[in-house]
Amino acid sequence: LQPRYENFKQDLQWVATERGYFDAKMVVSQIRVRLEDNRADIKLHFDTGKRYQFGQINFPDDAFAPEFLRRYLDFQSGDPYNAARLLSLQSDLVSSDYFNQVEVEAPLAQAEDYTVPVDVRLSPRKANKYSFGLGYGTDTGVRGKASVEGRYLNRWGHHYRAELVASQIQYSLGGEYIIPG
């Protein structure tokens, strides 16, 4: 019983922190074992305190327009704090293929009036990606492929892809210009 009880209290504290109840504390935590009845009475009083909220969300303004980066947010200043939303933002930015490194922080030490700022640090990928390939097929003979990807053309995330595929019997050239929606 004791290990389950201690694990429950730790889980309770973890969930409170994850949901922005940073001042939460266990006020009463008692177990009274009654051997004669073969039972235990548990008394818990967990005071969550006030829930913190997201404060100002700070993006770097060097490579991309803040308006473009804000499209990745599924929360805004004033929303209740939730660590899962910070992880989701980080995951979405990493998956965007615009950045090598993404750091999303909500420094509790900078909180004022139960409001925690959110700082996003980004390291852009190289602007262009090139790839080349050679091969041979019995139906095509020697073949080659070359492609270029412009990962970002402007501060609003526009990008393009171009590809040339050529063999002894056929060739193709294709491209696309992508404007994020």
Side-chain angles (χ1 to χ4, degrees):
L1 178 67
Q2 183 70 24
R4 285 178 38 197
Y5 173 71
E6 292 302 325
N7 287 340
F8 173 76
K9 291 192 317 183
Q10 287 176 348
D11 289 348
L12 199 58
Q13 189 66 50
W14 183 86
V15 169
T17 300
E18 193 268 339
R19 301 282 167 84
Y21 295 98
F22 298 116
D23 301 327
K25 61 182 176 272
M26 192 68 62
V27 178
V28 176
S29 171
Q30 297 174 347
I31 296 180
R32 191 169 30 166
V33 178
R34 294 173 38 184
L35 294 175
E36 64 276 0
D37 297 337
N38 198 23
R39 64 182 246 204
D41 293 327
I42 297 174
K43 186 174 185 180
L44 289 177
H45 180 184
F46 187 71
D47 182 3
T48 61
K50 187 170 177 179
R51 188 173 189 183
Y52 284 62
Q53 59 189 7
F54 290 118
Q56 182 175 339
I57 303 163
N58 305 304
F59 285 103
D61 59 355
D62 47 0
F64 292 93
E67 301 83 22
F68 169 69
L69 295 172
R70 289 190 187 287
R71 293 180 184 184
Y72 290 94
L73 292 173
D74 69 345
F75 62 91
Q76 56 188 321
S77 296
D79 285 354
Y81 180 95
N82 187 324
R85 288 186 152 184
L86 296 175
L87 290 174
S88 176
L89 171 62
Q90 183 170 12
S91 176
D92 290 347
L93 288 168
V94 166
S95 298
S96 73
D97 201 35
Y98 291 113
F99 309 104
N100 261 341
Q101 187 173 358
V102 176
E103 294 178 39
V104 177
E105 285 186 337
L108 190 55
Q110 295 177 17
E112 292 181 8
D113 297 323
Y114 302 100
T115 302
V116 183
V118 176
D119 297 324
V120 180
R121 286 186 290 287
L122 305 167
S123 299
R125 290 186 183 271
K126 290 183 179 180
N128 295 307
K129 175 183 174 183
Y130 303 95
S131 57
F132 303 94
L134 287 173
Y136 178 83
T138 56
D139 56 339
T140 61
V142 176
R143 63 179 183 244
K145 176 177 162 180
S147 65
V148 63
E149 185 176 331
R151 289 189 170 126
Y152 46 92
L153 298 175
N154 57 30
R155 293 173 47 83
W156 294 275
H158 294 199
H159 54 283
Y160 70 90
R161 292 186 191 108
E163 180 177 85
L164 171 64
V165 178
S167 71
Q168 291 177 323
I169 61 170
Q170 67 184 26
Y171 65 90
S172 67
L173 177 64
E176 59 184 332
Y177 186 90
I178 298 108
I179 300 171

